[in-house]
Amino acid sequence: MSERFRLGVVMDPIGAIKFAKDSTLAMLLAAQDRGFELAYLEQHDLLLRDGVAFGRVRPLTVRADPKNWFSLGEPRMERLGDLDCILMRKDPPFDMEYIYTTYILERAQEQGALVVNRPQGLRDMNEKVYTAWFPQCCAPTLITRDMSEMEAFLKEHGRIVCKPLDGMGGRSIFVLEQNDKNVNVVFETLTQYGQRFAIAQRYIPDIVTTGDSRVLVIDGEPVPYALARIPSPNDNRGNLAAGARGVGRPLNERDRWLVGQIGPALAAKGMLFVGLDVIGGYVTEINVTSPTGIRELDKQFGISIGDLLMQAIERRLQASPRPPRAARSA
């Protein structure tokens, strides 16, 4: 009998997740169904000793039960490189603690584990800035600390969206028109009077009617459905956390073209699970840190995106066979 794959997950406390919405839980249920042995870690369980990545690992069992969805075993210290795969599913903020975590996971990767997504990519691919690598897929975009440049960009386009580079969940997103009396204070707030970079993008009016669509990409290939997040009538933001409504839809030709432009390039860099945010046919963000949207699409279309991801992970593991676990730990 072949050796079972061991899959570790680094995540926020599993007891505090929202059962019906949590994408990481969907991944873990799919992995367990496929025969993976699960191991659970939080950030504080990780450490480096003399260059070797270790973790206080707890055996994990998950269940599709909204009242009792997990059980944890006793912790034991293990080399993280002995795990076959590690899912990095810690939610932002993307702060220095997050970056330190990626260093530990990079050592685990170098010592034998497949880390999803690759730690270097997590550090390199800021979800707003990395759109600059694919300008053919994006609406006009400006990243600057210069408030006069932002003012000129607004004058050029008439209506723009401005946001910080480190925001998440719809926080601090502003829609500005040229005659808005709050323009200066918004620019001052976002850039801290020219001391921090911020991003401005041409406003795409499709957000009102077709929403901000999350297109999920697994190892370079699109999931066949997107989750369109329609803002509430009194808000500009297409974020579920900000009250938007999630409506699934099949991918269109433009979605598939965008994935063809971006997906293979990210897969080649070890980014196996990515979320593209698409408004009116333009990519506004490339999400690589714990993208979500699985549960809503699974429920609406009777699919299992977690299983598609686990199949991709299995293919990667089988393409790079490793020595038996006992030999790795010797």
Side-chain angles (χ1 to χ4, degrees), residues 242-298:
R245 177 172 51 94
V247 179
R249 63 167 179 80
L251 296 192
N252 57 40
E253 185 176 342
R254 175 69 175 182
D255 297 325
R256 294 184 182 279
W257 182 84
L258 293 170
V259 173
Q261 294 289 302
I262 298 173
L266 268 61
K269 294 179 180 293
M271 314 310 283
L272 267 69
F273 189 65
V274 175
L276 307 182
D277 287 351
V278 179
I279 303 175
Y282 295 101
V283 171
T284 60
E285 294 189 14
I286 299 174
N287 292 272
V288 299
T289 54
S290 61
T292 61
I294 287 180
R295 301 302 286 272
E296 293 88 350
L297 290 174
D298 282 356

Side-chain angles (χ1 to χ4, degrees), residues 8-11 41-43 46 86-90 105:
V9 60
V10 180
M11 61 184 293
L41 304 108
E42 297 176 22
Q43 263 183 316
L46 307 178
I86 301 172
L87 295 178
M88 175 47 171
R89 292 290 300 175
K90 173 71 180 69
L105 293 178

Side-chain angles (χ1 to χ4, degrees), residues 44-314:
H44 62 79
D45 294 315
L46 307 178
L47 60 97
L48 279 174
R49 174 64 188 268
D50 301 325
V52 179
F54 287 92
R56 295 182 188 87
V57 172
R58 283 174 280 181
L60 170 66
T61 301
V62 289
R63 292 176 289 274
D65 181 346
K67 296 183 179 179
N68 182 26
W69 61 83
F70 74 99
S71 299
L72 291 172
E74 291 299 315
R76 61 176 182 266
M77 190 66 69
E78 291 189 31
R79 291 172 178 255
L80 295 180
D82 289 344
L83 294 168
D84 295 292
C85 178
I86 301 172
L87 295 178
M88 175 47 171
R89 292 290 300 175
K90 173 71 180 69
D91 284 339
F94 191 87
D95 54 14
M96 286 306 301
E97 289 300 306
Y98 200 109
I99 290 174
Y100 298 147
T101 300
T102 68
Y103 290 141
I104 298 174
L105 293 178
E106 188 160 356
R107 292 299 293 161
Q109 172 186 282
E110 292 170 355
Q111 290 154 10
L114 171 67
V115 181
V116 179
N117 285 321
R118 183 175 290 170
Q120 181 180 352
L122 293 175
R123 292 195 299 272
D124 288 353
M125 298 179 188
N126 175 277
E127 301 184 340
K128 299 173 180 64
V129 178
Y130 204 69
T131 58
W133 271 250
F134 306 95
Q136 73 277 19
C137 301
C138 305
T141 300
L142 172 70
I143 296 171
T144 185
R145 298 178 8 160
D146 190 324
M147 291 181 284
S148 63
E149 291 288 342
M150 297 182 81
E151 185 176 1
F153 188 79
L154 174 57
K155 184 176 181 180
E156 178 183 355
H157 295 288
R159 195 177 190 190
I160 63 174
V161 176
C162 300
K163 49 192 173 181
L165 294 180
D166 59 355
M168 59 170 286
R171 296 175 188 170
S172 301
I173 295 177
F174 298 91
V175 175
L176 296 174
E177 297 184 4
Q178 194 166 342
N179 296 323
D180 193 323
K181 293 183 178 180
N182 290 308
V183 163
N184 288 335
V185 72
V186 169
F187 292 164
E188 291 164 1
T189 300
L190 288 177
T191 68
Q192 293 186 5
Y193 292 88
Q195 299 305 305
R196 290 176 62 90
F197 285 100
I199 186 169
Q201 296 165 319
R202 187 184 72 194
Y203 178 79
I204 306 169
D206 305 62
I207 183 72
V208 176
T209 54
T210 58
D212 181 348
S213 292
R214 169 63 53 83
V215 177
L216 296 174
V217 185
I218 296 175
D219 205 4
E221 295 294 327
V223 171
Y225 304 97
L227 185 67
R229 297 160 298 177
I230 312 296
S232 64
N234 59 349
D235 207 319
N236 288 304
R237 296 170 297 174
N239 302 82
L240 298 180
R245 177 172 51 94
V247 179
R249 63 167 179 80
L251 296 192
N252 57 40
E253 185 176 342
R254 175 69 175 182
D255 297 325
R256 294 184 182 279
W257 182 84
L258 293 170
V259 173
Q261 294 289 302
I262 298 173
L266 268 61
K269 294 179 180 293
M271 314 310 283
L272 267 69
F273 189 65
V274 175
L276 307 182
D277 287 351
V278 179
I279 303 175
Y282 295 101
V283 171
T284 60
E285 294 189 14
I286 299 174
N287 292 272
V288 299
T289 54
S290 61
T292 61
I294 287 180
R295 301 302 286 272
E296 293 88 350
L297 290 174
D298 282 356
K299 182 177 180 180
Q300 292 185 41
F301 296 103
I303 58 177
S304 176
I305 296 169
D307 190 68
L308 295 176
L309 176 60
M310 292 308 133
Q311 291 180 47
I313 287 172
E314 286 180 354

